[in-house]
Amino acid sequence: MGPGPISAYPSVLRAMSAPLVGQYDPFMTATMAETQDLYRRVWATENDATLLIDGTSRAGIEAALVSLIRPGDRVLVPVFGRFGHLLAEIAERALAEVHTIEVPWGQVFPVSAIREAVARVRPHVLALVQGDTSTTMNQPLEEIGEICRAHGVLFYTDATASLGGNDFEMDAWGVDAATAGLQKCLGGPSGSAPITLSERAVEVIRSRARVEAGIREESDPDAADFVRSNYFDLGMILDYWGPRRLNHHTEATSMLYAARECARVLLNEGRAAVIARHRLHGEAMLAGVGGLGLGVFGDLAHKMHNVVAVEIPDGVPGEAVRSTLLADFGIEIGTSFGPLHGRVWRIGTMGYNARTDAVLQTLAALESVLRRFGASVPAGGGVAAAEDVYAATDAPGGD
Amino acid sequence: MGPGPISAYPSVLRAMSAPLVGQYDPFMTATMAETQDLYRRVWATENDATLLIDGTSRAGIEAALVSLIRPGDRVLVPVFGRFGHLLAEIAERALAEVHTIEVPWGQVFPVSAIREAVARVRPHVLALVQGDTSTTMNQPLEEIGEICRAHGVLFYTDATASLGGNDFEMDAWGVDAATAGLQKCLGGPSGSAPITLSERAVEVIRSRARVEAGIREESDPDAADFVRSNYFDLGMILDYWGPRRLNHHTEATSMLYAARECARVLLNEGRAAVIARHRLHGEAMLAGVGGLGLGVFGDLAHKMHNVVAVEIPDGVPGEAVRSTLLADFGIEIGTSFGPLHGRVWRIGTMGYNARTDAVLQTLAALESVLRRFGASVPAGGGVAAAEDVYAATDAPGGD
């Protein structure tokens, strides 16, 4: 019940035991094409360039940024948590001219702040996290695409923590590039990064200089426009996933199976239904920790559905509570980073863990452990508050 | 029965269905530590810096090269097949001054040629493929480490195609950095890249400038010494796998389980026994294709045990034979690249596919399909020749 990685859907775990096939076996290429089609529906996009990067969610971020950013490009990164800093760092390493704006942890940016910064910086790329698990905040993106189009800016967003558990509309919001991972609301293991690219983004990628196998004899390396990575060169990866099927890396077959099954689970239940389930169980968990008398960090109007930052009560040893929950109840909750380190636990309700039993058991266990460490908590207060949320909704409480 | 990816060991497929745990769960960190220890034995090394890169074998190559190579460094790449070109290309993208030497496909380098080139180029890094599936050749490495030490050169080798099926002695041969993948002789899926680094290599990596999250304000980016990638910055990845457990990416848990099981299978059977098994079944396959009257490409004295390049007879449609083998017998054999394209099939006997039944069934099926396409082949000649190899050895033919 941490902020991710989380327990995977059982069918996703099973999917990875399927036999491997050769990378140009017709079954393999058909599976790749099927997976692309499933993820178009997950992302709500018609982007042809919808595929997987073979690596963790961070690999997807880096593939997007190093392929879209030329050395010297201006990149604007609004930072509202740890993963905004990561985007800025990756853009730095790609030799971008990085500009940041910041809000305190626990807040998101008003649209006006992003509009002003885009107009002032006139970046080539706006790189903006959607959901940042470090603060639990969910940055509204609805109007950002329009701002970016008006200024000729490519709009990239990191939806790792949010996709599948919160609204996301790739095409309707005018996003040019987005990446995610399986280990949050998609309910799979870390190790495969869904990515989707608009035609504008693909045009930029296709305009980069190609590197052929062999030796660059004499050109000026600093001026050269090639992507500094082979593994993350989206131009080559698109040719591998596209109809040309040009050999690049050997696709990570078992992770492909996992990614396909994550999308199938989501689409079989229905995108809207899965998001509603995350909202429901997130609200139940939020009410439950309140019922235990615990405070919650951040602007609740902009909290992601799938994670809550719970303030550690004074005098309660936060790490001892976590390790007791794990040892005696088999339940993991998360620690936290940066300014929140030692101040909050992060409790997730995402993917397979967005379930009534998972929420109620976690609240009951947390109550028991808090009492063991001398905290004064209302008996049954967490479970009762969560049950009130379930009783008040028409939606089924389970999955 | 292609040149990889191959059918995985059944226990490796099962291992990926194990439940996920949080990335700082004691079980998770213990599993990471156990996997490091297993791979020290696989690589025959005492290197503390022995771990996995979360990506395919190509990700391992790129992590090693971008972390060891500073912009402007001289890198020597002896090229004897497709993957030598890949090493040169990745070094190019890392802004190295790349020098290559070449031999025709189907040959390896005499030690004298590498000694001469090292003395002439005086590279910072020698990057040399061990086994190149594109040509089936296995470059001898025994004396290369000594040459590199004498000239202060870091010695990197890509053992993706060879590790586990051919001799490899990290420490005894004086290799400074080596990477592999699971999808060849280790008998697992693509998507995790074992890597090991000598103390000399770690010193170079630790001497690179660190990039902290946040903004580089004014330094000269071209002169700066930081690794141009976050995902492949081995300094950070070592801190994640090491005792500090500093958060980097979220480890790809299911692929970690797969990698651990690949090493367990190998070590339970025994390193020497697994290599002997690859030698035996490779010899049987080689004899078998000879028994069918087919020619074999390349210098057989330096062929990898685990793959053979079989010349396509005149008048036989190579791709139709491959697709018929797949459709009617469920057996995949490989096509080929570059100068060998259309000239040879590549048949693998590696990992789980290095088995008597796999060899004999492939030879019988190939005979049947060749005859269907009008080739004149000795009846039973392939199977009989392979059986002679099995009969002549004391080792059991199966696994």
Side-chain angles (χ1 to χ4, degrees), chain B residues 87-314:
Chain B
L87 300 191
E89 187 204 308
I90 293 173
E92 282 284 314
R93 294 196 193 234
L95 304 183
E97 179 188 313
V98 178
H99 298 255
T100 59
I101 55 175
E102 296 200 37
V103 287
W105 282 38
Q107 298 179 25
V108 297
F109 289 91
V111 172
S112 59
I114 293 176
R115 181 182 294 113
E116 182 281 324
V118 166
R120 177 171 48 80
V121 174
R122 298 196 157 277
H124 297 81
V125 174
L126 171 70
L128 178 58
V129 173
Q130 182 185 30
D132 198 316
T133 46
S134 67
T135 69
T136 76
M137 292 296 101
N138 186 1
Q139 171 67 45
L141 303 181
E142 289 83 344
E143 298 172 62
I144 310 294
E146 194 177 331
I147 294 168
C148 287
R149 301 264 157 162
H151 290 84
V153 174
L154 281 174
F155 175 24
Y156 163 73
T157 191
D158 169 18
T160 301
S162 48
L163 185 70
N166 306 270
D167 288 336
F168 190 93
E169 298 292 336
M170 185 76 189
D171 290 357
W173 294 351
V175 183
D176 289 302
T179 63
L182 305 185
Q183 75 276 17
K184 308 280 184 179
C185 301
L186 295 176
S190 173
S192 178
I195 184 172
T196 182
L197 302 158
S198 73
E199 285 183 22
R200 292 203 317 160
V202 171
E203 275 171 29
V204 169
I205 291 163
R206 293 293 187 196
S207 72
R208 303 290 298 267
R210 294 183 67 85
V211 177
E212 306 300 336
I215 300 306
R216 171 175 52 75
E217 286 291 0
E218 54 186 354
S219 65
D220 173 7
D222 297 327
D225 181 38
F226 57 83
V227 175
R228 297 305 194 258
S229 168
N230 169 291
Y231 195 69
F232 292 135
D233 184 336
L234 283 173
M236 297 176 82
I237 298 171
L238 286 169
D239 284 341
Y240 177 54
W241 281 78
R244 299 175 70 194
R245 296 272 172 217
L246 293 185
N247 187 264
H248 184 246
H249 64 287
T250 297
E251 179 59 17
T253 315
S254 304
M255 289 306 306
L256 171 71
Y257 294 159
R260 179 176 66 162
E261 184 61 20
C262 286
R264 280 176 168 172
V265 167
L266 185 147
L267 295 168
N268 283 345
E269 186 177 347
R271 271 180 92 236
V274 173
I275 293 169
R277 173 162 63 84
H278 279 85
R279 181 186 300 114
L280 172 65
H281 296 292
E283 286 175 359
M285 183 63 83
L286 177 65
V289 296
L292 290 172
L294 302 172
V296 169
F297 173 79
D299 172 8
L300 294 186
H302 292 102
K303 190 181 83 60
M304 280 190 284
H305 297 141
N306 47 299
V307 61
V308 61
V310 180
E311 291 171 358
I312 301 170
D314 286 344

Side-chain angles (χ1 to χ4, degrees), chain A residues 62 82 92 216 229 247, chain B residues 62 82 92 216 229 247:
Chain A
E62 188 156 317
R82 179 165 182 269
E92 282 283 313
R216 171 174 52 75
S229 168
N247 187 264
Chain B
E62 187 156 318
R82 178 163 183 268
E92 282 284 314
R216 171 175 52 75
S229 168
N247 187 264

Side-chain angles (χ1 to χ4, degrees), chain A residues 4-8 13-26 54-59 62 66 82-83 85-86 88-96 98-100 183-184 188-191 209-217 221-222 226-233 236 247-255 322 326 332 335 337, chain B residues 4-8 13-26 54-59 62 66 82-83 85-86 88-96 98-100 183-184 188-191 209-217 221-222 226-233 236 247-255 322 326 332 335 337:
Chain A
I6 44 69
S7 311
L13 294 180
R14 281 197 303 274
M16 286 184 284
S17 292
L20 307 181
V21 294
Q23 65 176 328
Y24 293 107
D25 187 304
D54 278 344
T56 73
S57 45
R58 185 176 292 230
E62 188 156 317
V66 302
R82 179 165 182 269
F83 290 94
H85 286 294
L86 177 65
E89 187 203 308
I90 293 173
E92 282 283 313
R93 294 194 192 235
L95 304 184
V98 178
H99 299 254
T100 59
Q183 76 276 16
K184 308 280 185 181
S190 172
R210 294 184 67 85
V211 177
E212 305 301 335
I215 300 306
R216 171 174 52 75
E217 285 290 0
D222 297 328
F226 56 84
V227 175
R228 298 303 195 258
S229 168
N230 169 291
Y231 195 69
F232 292 135
D233 185 335
M236 298 175 82
N247 187 264
H248 185 245
H249 64 288
T250 297
E251 179 57 17
T253 315
S254 304
M255 289 307 305
R322 289 206 320 125
L326 183 62
E332 183 192 354
T335 181
F337 297 106
Chain B
I6 43 67
S7 311
L13 295 179
R14 280 196 304 274
M16 285 183 285
S17 292
L20 307 180
V21 293
Q23 65 175 328
Y24 294 107
D25 187 303
D54 277 344
T56 72
S57 45
R58 183 175 293 230
E62 187 156 318
V66 302
R82 178 163 183 268
F83 290 94
H85 286 294
L86 177 64
E89 187 204 308
I90 293 173
E92 282 284 314
R93 294 196 193 234
L95 304 183
V98 178
H99 298 255
T100 59
Q183 75 276 17
K184 308 280 184 179
S190 173
R210 294 183 67 85
V211 177
E212 306 300 336
I215 300 306
R216 171 175 52 75
E217 286 291 0
D222 297 327
F226 57 83
V227 175
R228 297 305 194 258
S229 168
N230 169 291
Y231 195 69
F232 292 135
D233 184 336
M236 297 176 82
N247 187 264
H248 184 246
H249 64 287
T250 297
E251 179 59 17
T253 315
S254 304
M255 289 306 306
R322 289 206 320 125
L326 182 61
E332 182 192 355
T335 180
F337 297 106

Side-chain angles (χ1 to χ4, degrees), chain A residues 26-385:
Chain A
F27 173 79
M28 183 69 184
T29 50
T31 302
M32 291 170 76
E34 178 194 353
T35 303
Q36 294 183 278
D37 200 48
L38 292 167
Y39 276 92
R40 287 186 191 107
R41 295 167 59 197
V42 170
W43 288 113
T45 186
E46 297 188 355
N47 286 341
D48 185 58
T50 303
L51 57 152
L52 305 174
I53 301 298
D54 278 344
T56 73
S57 45
R58 185 176 292 230
I61 296 169
E62 188 156 317
L65 292 183
V66 302
S67 295
L68 290 173
I69 299 171
R70 294 178 155 95
D73 275 0
R74 282 185 306 281
V75 175
L76 174 63
V77 186
V79 175
F80 61 98
R82 179 165 182 269
F83 290 94
H85 286 294
L86 177 65
L87 300 191
E89 187 203 308
I90 293 173
E92 282 283 313
R93 294 194 192 235
L95 304 184
E97 180 188 312
V98 178
H99 299 254
T100 59
I101 55 176
E102 295 201 37
V103 286
W105 281 37
Q107 299 179 23
V108 297
F109 290 91
V111 172
S112 59
I114 293 176
R115 181 183 292 112
E116 183 279 325
V118 166
R120 175 171 50 80
V121 173
R122 298 195 157 276
H124 297 81
V125 176
L126 171 70
L128 179 58
V129 173
Q130 182 184 29
D132 197 316
T133 45
S134 68
T135 70
T136 77
M137 292 296 102
N138 186 0
Q139 171 67 47
L141 302 181
E142 289 82 346
E143 300 171 62
I144 310 294
E146 194 177 331
I147 295 168
C148 287
R149 301 263 157 163
H151 290 83
V153 175
L154 282 174
F155 175 23
Y156 162 74
T157 192
D158 168 18
T160 301
S162 49
L163 185 70
N166 305 269
D167 289 335
F168 191 92
E169 298 291 337
M170 185 76 189
D171 290 356
W173 294 351
V175 183
D176 289 302
T179 62
L182 305 185
Q183 76 276 16
K184 308 280 185 181
C185 301
L186 295 177
S190 172
S192 178
I195 184 171
T196 182
L197 302 158
S198 72
E199 285 183 21
R200 294 203 315 159
V202 172
E203 274 171 29
V204 169
I205 291 162
R206 292 293 186 197
S207 71
R208 304 288 299 266
R210 294 184 67 85
V211 177
E212 305 301 335
I215 300 306
R216 171 174 52 75
E217 285 290 0
E218 54 187 354
S219 63
D220 174 7
D222 297 328
D225 181 38
F226 56 84
V227 175
R228 298 303 195 258
S229 168
N230 169 291
Y231 195 69
F232 292 135
D233 185 335
L234 283 173
M236 298 175 82
I237 297 171
L238 286 169
D239 284 340
Y240 177 55
W241 281 78
R244 300 175 71 193
R245 297 270 172 218
L246 293 185
N247 187 264
H248 185 245
H249 64 288
T250 297
E251 179 57 17
T253 315
S254 304
M255 289 307 305
L256 171 71
Y257 296 158
R260 180 176 66 161
E261 183 62 20
C262 287
R264 280 176 168 172
V265 167
L266 186 147
L267 296 168
N268 283 346
E269 186 177 346
R271 270 180 92 234
V274 173
I275 293 169
R277 173 162 62 84
H278 281 85
R279 181 184 300 113
L280 172 65
H281 295 293
E283 286 175 0
M285 183 63 83
L286 178 65
V289 296
L292 289 173
L294 302 172
V296 169
F297 173 81
D299 171 9
L300 294 186
H302 293 101
K303 190 182 83 61
M304 280 190 284
H305 297 141
N306 46 301
V307 60
V308 61
V310 179
E311 292 171 359
I312 301 170
D314 286 343
V316 168
E319 284 306 291
V321 167
R322 289 206 320 125
S323 58
T324 303
L325 270 173
L326 183 62
D328 289 0
F329 295 87
I331 295 173
E332 183 192 354
I333 64 173
T335 181
S336 49
F337 297 106
L340 293 180
H341 185 65
R343 287 179 51 201
V344 302
W345 298 299
R346 292 177 301 151
I347 303 181
T349 44
M350 56 184 101
Y352 185 59
N353 290 350
R355 295 196 321 269
T356 306
D357 61 330
V359 169
L360 297 182
Q361 286 172 14
T362 300
L363 290 166
L366 183 58
E367 177 183 331
S368 170
V369 174
L370 283 171
R371 189 168 293 118
R372 205 185 306 181
F373 282 99
S376 165
V377 283
V383 168

